[in-house]
Amino acid sequence: MKAEAKATIEAGKAILGIEFGSTRIKAVLIDENNRPIAQGSHEWENQLVDGLWTYSIEAIWFGVQDCYRDLRENVKEQYDTEIETLAAIGVSAMMHGYMAFDENQEILVPFRTWRNTNTAQAAAELSELFVYNIPLRWSISHLYQAILNGEEHVKDIKFLTTLAGYIHWQLTGEKVLGIGDASGMLPIDPETKNYSAAMVEKFDNLVAPKGYDWKLIDILPKVLLAGENDGTLTEEGAKRLDISGHLNAGVPVCPPEGDAGTGMVATNAVKQRTGNVSAGTSSFSMIVLEKDLSKPYEMIDMVTTPDGSLVAMVHCNNCTSDLNAWVGLFKEYTELMGVPVDMNEIYGRLYNNALKGDTDCGGLVSYNYFSGEPVTGLAEGRPLFVRSVNDKFNLANFMRAHLHGAVSVLKIGNDILFNEEKIKVDRITGHGGLFKTKGVGQRILAAALNSPISVMETAGEGGAWGMALLGSYLVNNTGSRNLADFLDHDVFAGDAGTSITPTKEEVEGFNAYLENYKQCLGVEIAAVEYKK
């Protein structure tokens, strides 16, 4: 295996996937059989600047260069060789947000990430105009909010894109975007597989009195489907990625995608009637639909798979951050007691102990709101734990309440799909940090959604692996197979992972917890209002 991987790298047949997550940039190198053979990573954090969450351009490039450097070092250590060329590269990143550039390719305002919730007025007005749910974090919301705010930079915009689109542009010179990520900029017409022409026209008419010298379609990236080729690594791009100078130009670069799209690919959930849940710093569920929903819902975002199928997405700004903070507190206590600390063991013991708790968490309630949560109407967040004196306060219920709290908002959104729209799903697959402790997060989510949840061994490879698979689809797909067939036959070969089905008691317990959660939301609202 090691010799084969080395030969693959030296022959230039390896494929690189890079994903910019909220807290980590990760690179995965795969072989011709789509198996990971090397990885690299870089830890980073967003910054709150002038009231808006951002990552600086300097942090973006230092991060990806350090991630690639780490990958190179791992390749050297494992295989005693250097990466000189590749069969393909793919770049993905957190979806949505706002990166606006002028005619000199200079960014006009700091990158505004998906996490910002300052676009409520714009999102509401556009939703009414389009008769379509436009979320706060979508690029079009950010653009229109900047217009409503009278921001001076808007008149100078020549190109508007996402983080993935920006990196792809800098590596290839091409202003393009994969359809999944593009669907987080502006709604996609499922028939044309392009931005909705009707909505583009409505927007242009709306802002016409401002007198800008641009039209919306002229500043947006070109939309591409998975497998379409529109870009190769330039000499300048190669030097920006690999500052050591070893990587050669000319490598095909597949359409850039968002983390939602790579999550669907990494869990083999691009076929209709399949779905996946990504649960880490934030969480979102993606259900691939057989047909459009009966009407718009404020809690449901309509996006697409990387090959253009319609997807109902429930996006939650918060998931494991509060859980991680509490586990960190237990780590401090363990260290205070002079006990050697292994974080995996702490997580494992606390998570598994949670399963011994009452299915309704004994009345305890947790709100994991590090930031605002649009699904429940919170513009800001305050992490909050609530109990009464008569609740069953013990460690198992405490941890279970936080696990339930991590997916409660996700359940609220999905109840619309399953209970009101009667959506049918054959398989839901989970991936992300919540599922790292085997069986625990999986069982909690199964109870929340009242549905069997599968987790694959490969799901731990994450979105960077999913992006590498899209690169593989670009260069290794034989014939004219669609993306779902390619994944079924060439990547997963029938592996559906390990499934957990919830018990009746677990489902009823979670429903009871959620009723407490909803009734206590006023406490969270008051905390936002009074605790600054």
Side-chain angles (χ1 to χ4, degrees):
M1 174 67 182
K2 192 171 182 178
E4 292 175 5
K6 180 177 180 178
T8 295
I9 295 168
E10 292 180 339
K13 295 181 179 179
I15 296 168
L16 174 62
I18 301 172
E19 180 154 284
F20 290 74
S22 298
T23 58
R24 183 171 65 154
I25 304 171
K26 184 176 179 181
V28 170
L29 204 63
I30 64 173
D31 63 15
E32 303 101 312
N33 297 312
N34 303 303
R35 297 174 301 200
I37 54 176
Q39 297 186 5
S41 66
H42 169 82
E43 304 293 326
W44 72 337
E45 286 288 348
N46 54 189
Q47 303 296 319
L48 189 63
V49 178
D50 296 329
L52 295 173
W53 293 104
T54 187
Y55 301 85
S56 70
I57 293 294
E58 293 76 18
I60 290 168
W61 285 108
F62 176 78
V64 71
Q65 289 164 359
D66 188 58
C67 178
Y68 189 85
R69 176 202 57 76
D70 189 43
L71 173 70
R72 282 184 58 243
E73 289 184 358
N74 289 335
V75 167
K76 283 183 180 180
E77 182 179 338
Q78 291 183 73
Y79 307 112
D80 190 28
T81 192
E82 181 64 70
I83 304 171
E84 301 287 352
T85 190
L86 296 160
I89 297 174
V91 177
S92 65
M94 56 195 91
M95 290 181 73
H96 324 298
Y98 182 82
M99 297 190 81
F101 297 87
D102 65 16
E103 61 184 5
N104 298 316
Q105 300 188 14
E106 296 292 330
I107 195 163
L108 289 163
V109 290
F111 169 36
R112 297 172 181 177
T113 78
W114 60 270
R115 194 174 184 181
N116 291 295
T117 55
N118 63 307
T119 56
Q121 181 184 355
E125 291 186 14
L126 291 176
S127 296
E128 183 176 357
L129 177 70
F130 294 156
V131 195
Y132 198 96
N133 179 43
I134 304 298
L136 275 64
R137 66 188 178 280
W138 280 19
S139 304
I140 195 68
S141 295
H142 284 282
L143 174 60
Y144 189 49
Q145 190 65 54
I147 293 171
L148 291 174
N149 294 345
E151 296 187 37
E152 185 67 20
H153 79 271
V154 176
K155 64 178 175 50
D156 298 319
I157 296 175
K158 296 298 180 185
F159 182 45
L160 178 64
T161 191
T162 65
L163 178 55
Y166 166 67
I167 299 296
H168 183 96
W169 172 38
Q170 296 299 300
L171 295 182
T172 68
E174 301 293 338
K175 297 177 178 178
V176 302
L177 203 57
I179 191 169
D181 205 9
S183 68
M185 295 195 78
L186 184 74
I188 294 290
D189 184 332
E191 297 298 322
T192 64
K193 309 293 186 187
N194 205 341
Y195 303 114
S196 167
M199 295 185 197
V200 168
E201 182 179 7
K202 285 182 177 181
F203 186 86
D204 283 338
N205 291 337
L206 176 67
V207 303
K210 299 292 184 180
Y212 301 128
D213 64 1
W214 50 260
K215 296 290 187 182
L216 184 58
I217 202 67
D218 297 326
I219 64 172
L220 293 176
K222 177 183 176 183
V223 178
L224 296 177
L225 299 177
E228 291 187 322
N229 190 0
D230 194 354
T232 56
L233 186 66
T234 63
E235 292 282 354
E236 182 182 8
K239 291 175 183 176
R240 293 204 76 176
L241 181 59
D242 179 12
I243 58 175
S244 74
H246 285 88
L247 182 61
N248 293 317
V251 179
V253 185
C254 68
E257 267 298 347
D259 50 3
T262 58
M264 286 186 274
V265 172
T267 54
N268 194 18
V270 300
K271 188 179 295 184
Q272 291 179 359
R273 291 176 64 112
T274 63
N276 81 91
V277 171
S278 174
T281 304
S282 62
S283 69
F284 51 81
S285 63
M286 314 283 292
I287 307 297
V288 188
L289 303 177
E290 296 177 278
K291 61 180 181 178
D292 203 349
L293 300 181
S294 63
K295 62 181 181 179
Y297 293 93
E298 188 176 351
M299 296 178 187
I300 310 295
D301 306 347
M302 300 305 295
V303 293
T304 78
T305 63
D307 58 349
S309 291
L310 205 58
V311 175
M313 177 183 191
V314 177
H315 185 283
C316 311
N317 281 359
N318 305 279
C319 186
T320 59
S321 294
D322 197 34
L323 258 173
N324 294 340
W326 281 107
V327 173
L329 194 69
F330 286 113
K331 170 180 176 287
E332 286 188 45
Y333 171 74
T334 305
E335 290 173 333
L336 188 65
M337 297 298 292
V339 179
V341 174
D342 181 286
M343 286 305 292
N344 288 330
E345 184 177 2
I346 292 177
Y347 271 102
R349 286 182 179 272
L350 288 172
Y351 275 36
N352 279 290
N353 189 57
L355 296 182
K356 299 176 182 177
D358 297 305
T359 58
D360 66 352
C361 306
L364 312 182
V365 179
S366 167
Y367 297 96
N368 61 340
Y369 296 1
F370 265 51
S371 60
E373 194 58 80
V375 172
T376 46
L378 274 294
E380 296 180 46
R382 303 287 184 271
L384 191 65
F385 173 67
V386 181
R387 69 184 179 103
S388 70
V389 294
N390 294 321
D391 292 335
K392 298 176 183 177
F393 184 51
N394 55 49
L395 183 59
N397 281 339
F398 179 81
M399 288 306 302
R400 189 168 189 133
H402 282 88
L403 284 163
H404 279 212
V407 296
S408 287
V409 178
L410 197 69
K411 174 178 173 56
I412 291 170
N414 276 276
D415 278 351
I416 293 172
L417 295 175
F418 297 130
N419 299 339
E420 297 184 31
E421 289 287 332
K422 309 299 181 185
I423 296 300
K424 302 298 181 185
V425 182
D426 297 327
R427 185 185 76 246
I428 299 177
T429 305
H431 67 115
L434 183 66
F435 307 105
K436 191 172 181 180
T437 299
K438 190 173 183 179
V440 180
Q442 186 178 0
R443 182 167 292 282
I444 296 296
L445 182 64
L449 300 187
N450 190 17
S451 174
I453 302 295
S454 297
V455 171
M456 300 177 181
E457 292 294 330
T458 51
E461 303 295 345
W465 180 59
M467 196 65 229
L469 294 180
L470 288 172
S472 179
Y473 181 62
L474 172 67
V475 295
N476 292 330
N477 182 36
T478 55
S480 57
R481 290 179 301 169
N482 62 33
L483 180 59
D485 288 342
F486 171 78
L487 294 175
D488 275 344
H489 297 295
D490 287 23
V491 180
F492 295 96
D495 177 19
T498 303
S499 180
I500 287 180
T501 300
T503 66
K504 179 183 177 183
E505 291 75 20
E506 288 170 334
V507 173
E508 290 176 347
F510 199 104
N511 287 339
Y513 173 90
L514 193 68
E515 286 306 308
N516 284 334
Y517 184 97
K518 290 177 179 177
Q519 290 174 14
C520 289
L521 265 173
V523 181
E524 172 68 23
I525 294 168
V528 169
E529 183 176 353
Y530 294 109
K531 172 64 176 174
K532 301 299 180 184

